[in-house]
Amino acid sequence: MPTPPRKLRNTLSWYAFGLSCAVTLLAAVLMVFPDPALTRAAVLSSIGLNLIASVAFAVVFSVLSSQVQQRGMEENIAQHLGDLATGLRAEVASMHKGFMPTAVYPSFDPVDGTYGDAFNKDVTASLEATGFYAFCGPSARYVSARLARSRHFPHQVRVAMLNPGDKLAISRRATDRTSWARLAGKDNSTLSEELREELVMSTVALFDYRHICPVDLAYIEDTATYRFEIFDDAIYLSWYHGPQSISKEMPESLRFAAESFLYQLLRLDLMRRFEIVESRVRFEAGQDDTFLIAHLTAVLGSSVSAADLERWRRRYREYTADFTGYLDTVYAELRI
């Protein structure tokens, strides 16, 4: 129902239309009336001719005005849709930063010296620009090799991984690895022992990195469903049980920006884990192998010797030799 001001405007519009018609008609009559030669038949003939001309004009005007109105309507609709699209893109971009990954990397098997070019190039670029680095996952087997190859050293390193002395957690993770290790004919017992050695080697390698940067290491109870690496600009999340990760050694991964919800959530969660976890250690430059021997003895529940440390160091160099060589090619391509 029209509001009073709108109703008043409509009324005034009709009055104005009626008044203009009346004034025009009166003027026309006054102009025609003084002509004494004007007969009734001539008047009717003139009116008829004018009606015919009016119809022709109306048809032409209607066709032309319809085309103009259609073009104007199409332009208005296009402009309106453009404004809506711009607003939608801005809203999607805002949501993209908060909840959607900025990159997705497929799963793969390390073959022919390759380890997933897109993933490792982006991780390397993030590492070279970060002051903070953190890893959380079942095994940090490549962390020390990556850090040692870096041209830029972070100021803070935090690593959370499985405890080498936690047999149950190791067995659980070894079971997950059977999906891509079955071709080698290895059973769970063999895979568990290999993973235990891998964790010990990783611990020794992290200890050796202490001269470059102090390393905070936490042994956590991990369900081994995912891992993540955090840098100042992004977090890289790898999903071991993703639909594309089955039977692949390296799982599918996603990159989220530092502004994202997931980055803020997992970084805060990791910080709090280091506050409450019972089994943790800090490796610093002032410590020597005696400290590491005592630490590993306590963790493994069995005696560790200097010869054991040398054996683990040598095995780690051999274990990561291919990956280290691959990183050299990555740095060469990135020209860092």
Side-chain angles (χ1 to χ4, degrees):
M1 186 174 186
T3 59
R6 183 178 177 184
K7 184 176 181 181
L8 178 60
R9 285 195 300 271
N10 292 338
T11 302
L12 292 176
S13 298
W14 282 110
Y15 277 132
F17 176 75
L19 180 61
S20 63
C21 290
V23 171
T24 303
L25 183 60
L26 179 60
V29 170
L30 292 177
M31 294 173 66
V32 173
F33 184 78
D35 188 358
L38 192 63
T39 63
R40 179 182 178 187
V43 171
L44 294 176
S45 177
S46 298
I47 293 175
L49 291 174
N50 288 329
L51 287 175
I52 294 174
S54 298
V55 171
F57 172 79
V59 171
V60 174
F61 178 80
S62 176
V63 172
L64 295 178
S65 64
S66 296
Q67 294 178 352
V68 173
Q69 289 178 357
Q70 183 176 358
R71 285 197 298 268
M73 184 180 300
E74 290 175 352
E75 291 176 357
N76 289 335
I77 292 175
Q79 182 178 359
H80 185 59
L81 289 177
D83 293 340
L84 290 176
T86 301
L88 180 61
R89 282 195 296 268
E91 185 173 352
V92 170
S94 177
M95 293 181 61
H96 184 279
K97 292 182 179 179
F99 299 98
M100 299 179 67
T102 56
V104 178
Y105 312 98
S107 58
F108 61 92
D109 286 313
V111 293
D112 300 327
T114 61
Y115 289 81
D117 291 341
F119 174 79
N120 277 290
K121 285 180 180 179
D122 287 351
V123 169
T124 300
S126 293
L127 177 60
E128 293 301 316
T130 194
F132 172 83
Y133 171 79
F135 172 91
C136 181
S139 172
R141 53 178 173 165
Y142 291 127
V143 169
S144 296
R146 185 185 297 279
L147 290 173
R149 222 61 182 174
S150 175
R151 274 59 166 173
H152 165 83
F153 305 120
H155 307 304
Q156 185 179 13
V157 173
R158 290 195 169 189
V159 177
M161 67 178 189
L162 292 178
N163 190 327
D166 190 341
K167 296 182 180 179
L168 182 60
I170 290 175
S171 177
R172 173 67 267 181
R173 175 55 184 155
T175 301
D176 292 336
R177 288 188 172 186
T178 56
S179 61
W180 52 265
R182 65 165 60 95
L183 296 178
K186 298 178 181 179
D187 57 14
N188 184 269
S189 177
T190 301
L191 292 173
S192 295
E193 182 58 29
E194 289 182 352
L195 178 56
R196 176 183 176 277
E197 285 287 295
E198 182 182 302
L199 293 170
V200 176
M201 289 188 299
S202 298
T203 302
V204 174
L206 289 171
F207 176 80
D208 291 341
Y209 188 74
R210 73 195 186 283
H211 294 293
I212 300 175
C213 174
V215 177
D216 291 301
L217 174 61
Y219 299 113
I220 60 174
E221 295 180 353
D222 193 276
T223 58
T225 57
Y226 66 90
R227 73 161 189 254
F228 61 83
E229 295 179 81
I230 301 180
F231 305 88
D232 287 341
D233 64 341
I235 180 172
Y236 296 82
L237 177 69
S238 300
W239 186 15
Y240 289 114
H241 294 269
Q244 306 300 325
S245 300
I246 304 299
S247 300
K248 298 290 185 179
E249 182 175 350
M250 299 297 180
E252 58 185 290
S253 302
L254 304 96
R255 182 184 191 271
F256 292 87
E259 300 83 6
S260 67
F261 166 77
L262 191 65
Y263 180 97
Q264 303 295 332
L265 175 67
L266 291 180
R267 178 161 179 164
L268 179 59
D269 179 72
L270 182 68
M271 294 300 187
R272 293 192 173 185
R273 285 197 186 199
F274 273 86
E275 293 176 2
I276 64 177
V277 69
E278 294 182 359
S279 183
R280 63 179 183 271
V281 64
R282 181 177 176 87
F283 297 142
E284 298 177 316
Q287 299 164 350
D288 56 17
D289 283 356
T290 303
F291 177 89
L292 180 59
I293 290 174
H295 170 71
L296 289 177
T297 298
V299 169
L300 299 176
S302 59
S303 62
V304 174
S305 65
D308 292 329
L309 295 185
E310 292 305 317
R311 176 173 57 85
W312 286 321
R313 286 180 173 126
R314 183 181 66 259
R315 291 195 60 189
Y316 186 79
R317 288 193 297 269
E318 295 171 352
Y319 184 82
T320 59
D322 289 343
F323 181 69
T324 299
Y326 169 74
L327 287 181
D328 290 337
T329 63
V330 171
Y331 276 101
E333 292 182 16
L334 294 177
R335 297 181 180 179
I336 297 177

